Amino acid sequence: MHVVKGFATTLKHLMDDAVTVQYPEQVQKFQDRFKGRHHLRRYEDGLEKCIGCSLCAAACPADAIWVEAAENTDAERYSPGERYAKTYEINMLRCIFCGYCEDACPTEAIQLGHEHQMSFTDRRDAIYDKDMLIDPPQAGAAGTPQQVKPGAFDRSIPDMEDPD
């Protein structure tokens, strides 16, 4: 009886149109929520959003992210915070594209884009470093490192005066 049901299902779909996509000439449209290749974002002035906190690496269930932080100086400023990601690597062979790194980032520095065409011929090629991940600065913006005036990124709270 099961064999008859199986043949009936096959015959029912035999005359349906094929849904074959002629890749790479035709690329299928993905959903907006599709998670593809990672990007490290920048601010409008060209500074990097990543502050080297390693929360993305802690949230990664596949242990695919490695972040090494370093201190910013006024002579060489990479991010508006005290630290920046000196080393940022993602092993794309280990990544499961879950988006937990994106959710854990307090500055929205790491985002998963829509690029899906990634191929590797060697395991070393599958490790994306910071230079491969970071977005280029916008037109007219300076890249990193930048030189800034001392105290330009002071985040201290001003003294509250008594209104009486």
Side-chain angles (χ1 to χ4, degrees):
M1 190 61 169
H2 295 290
V3 176
V4 174
K5 280 185 176 180
F7 278 123
T9 303
T10 303
L11 290 174
K12 183 171 72 173
H13 294 288
L14 190 62
M15 296 302 163
D16 289 348
D17 289 336
V19 283
T20 304
V21 176
Q22 298 300 320
Y23 184 80
E25 291 81 20
Q26 297 173 343
V27 179
Q28 186 176 2
K29 170 101 169 76
F30 291 99
Q31 297 291 328
D32 290 336
R33 64 179 180 254
F34 173 77
K35 296 183 182 306
R37 184 184 175 279
H38 301 71
H39 293 272
L40 281 174
R41 302 294 185 194
R42 292 181 182 265
Y43 289 106
E44 290 80 23
D45 61 358
L47 288 175
E48 302 167 7
K49 286 188 174 186
C50 183
I51 56 174
C53 66
S54 299
L55 287 175
C56 55
C60 181
D63 199 24
I65 301 174
W66 168 256
V67 181
E68 182 183 352
E71 299 291 326
N72 275 317
T73 63
D74 291 331
E76 287 188 4
R77 177 139 320 253
Y78 291 85
S79 69
E82 294 176 8
R83 300 183 317 163
Y84 70 97
K86 178 181 176 185
T87 305
Y88 197 104
E89 294 178 349
I90 300 178
N91 187 341
M92 300 306 272
L93 292 175
R94 297 188 85 178
C95 180
I96 59 173
F97 300 94
C98 61
Y100 287 173
C101 57
E102 193 175 34
D103 295 337
C105 185
T107 60
E108 298 180 354
I110 186 80
Q111 291 181 346
L112 278 75
H114 293 286
E115 295 86 7
H116 65 281
Q117 298 174 335
M118 296 179 280
S119 63
F120 318 108
T121 57
D122 188 357
R123 287 184 176 268
R124 280 178 249 125
D125 295 341
I127 298 176
Y128 284 21
D129 62 1
K130 183 177 174 180
D131 293 333
M132 297 170 72
L133 295 168
I134 192 133
D135 289 343
Q138 294 180 0
T144 48
Q146 294 180 5
Q147 188 174 14
V148 295
K149 294 180 276 187
F153 292 102
D154 186 16
R155 302 278 193 237
S156 61
I157 300 173
D159 294 333
M160 299 297 289
E161 294 181 20
D162 189 15
D164 294 331

